[in-house]
Amino acid sequence: DNALRAKQRWIVAKLLERGERREQRQQRTPIDWKDGARLPYLGGEIVLRLEEAARSHCVFDPETRELRIGVAPGLSEWQLKERVKLWFQGEAKRVFVERLDHFAPQLGVRYSAFTLSSAGSRWGSCTVGGSIRLNWKLVHYPLALVDYVVAHELAHLREMNHSPAFWATVAEVYPDYDGARLALRKQSHQM
């Protein structure tokens, strides 16, 4: 009872914040899964191009920013969404490993493993053993925000807490971590 009373304001604030996020998500315009749909990718948009094909294919053209997917007649919307999700997850893995390998030497750390996550409320995590998990949905956000989350998780390999020493470690490679935290919070409310 004492703990609940002591944390009452914080609990109410978090419940209200969750309700606001749920409301914002419900107000978003859903993606119309057809040729020409616009999909979020690294802070910008790419265009979904559906092409009739006997064999399934999925090719991204960075110059035109088009994701071309070969679809057979009768492909359901769910199957299309899953195909696009697999592409995003592959891109997330590629981009995240690139960023991990960029920042780890700068911090003087080594991670032991990397996996993607689909967590509902966490962008990343790091274990004492050096295993890093990053939410694949980060690939929708600007690269600067991806870099912040990567730097944050790698910093945990030196400081397994959120102490001033931890934030100083993050600042070594990402000085504007406060701005990135706020931007990530704001972006995640809009997605």
Side-chain angles (χ1 to χ4, degrees):
D1 284 343
N2 288 340
L4 286 175
R5 279 191 210 99
K7 297 287 185 181
Q8 180 178 354
R9 285 186 182 173
W10 181 86
I11 292 168
V12 170
K14 289 297 175 185
L15 288 172
L16 290 171
E17 188 178 300
R18 267 200 186 156
E20 288 170 8
R21 273 190 258 158
R22 186 178 309 116
E23 189 176 306
Q24 287 172 343
R25 279 193 302 268
Q26 290 170 347
Q27 290 175 355
R28 277 190 306 230
T29 306
I31 294 172
D32 191 5
W33 292 93
K34 63 181 183 182
D35 186 64
R38 298 198 170 279
L39 308 172
Y41 176 64
L42 291 178
E45 288 186 331
I46 61 175
V47 177
L48 179 64
R49 291 292 174 211
L50 304 179
E51 305 170 340
E52 280 194 39
R55 295 176 89 186
S56 178
H57 64 270
C58 186
V59 179
F60 178 64
D61 183 339
E63 286 188 26
T64 62
R65 299 195 54 80
E66 292 180 334
L67 178 61
R68 292 189 174 91
I69 297 188
V71 295
L75 184 78
S76 72
E77 183 176 300
W78 179 85
Q79 290 170 311
L80 175 60
K81 286 180 184 179
E82 285 300 304
R83 186 68 189 101
V84 170
K85 179 180 160 184
L86 286 173
W87 180 82
F88 274 124
Q89 288 175 334
E91 281 296 291
K93 194 173 279 190
R94 179 187 67 77
V95 170
F96 299 168
V97 165
E98 183 181 288
R99 304 319 292 159
L100 284 163
D101 292 345
H102 172 77
F103 286 111
Q106 291 181 39
L107 287 169
V109 298
R110 295 177 76 180
Y111 61 98
S112 61
F114 161 67
T115 55
L116 292 179
S117 122
S118 295
S121 62
R122 294 184 78 173
W123 292 118
S125 63
C126 178
T127 67
V128 175
S131 180
I132 292 180
R133 293 173 53 95
L134 296 171
N135 192 316
W136 70 268
K137 294 174 187 166
L138 274 171
V139 80
H140 296 305
Y141 299 135
L143 191 58
L145 298 183
V146 172
D147 283 350
Y148 160 68
V149 175
V150 167
H152 181 113
E153 297 312 327
L154 287 170
H156 279 307
L157 295 174
R158 285 181 31 197
E159 295 286 335
M160 278 305 242
N161 53 53
H162 288 109
S163 67
F166 166 80
W167 291 111
T169 302
V170 175
E172 288 176 25
V173 293
Y174 204 100
D176 186 25
Y177 64 83
D178 273 334
R181 280 170 59 187
L182 291 172
L184 185 60
R185 196 170 292 143
K186 184 178 178 182
Q187 290 261 339
S188 62
H189 290 324
Q190 295 172 354
M191 288 296 266

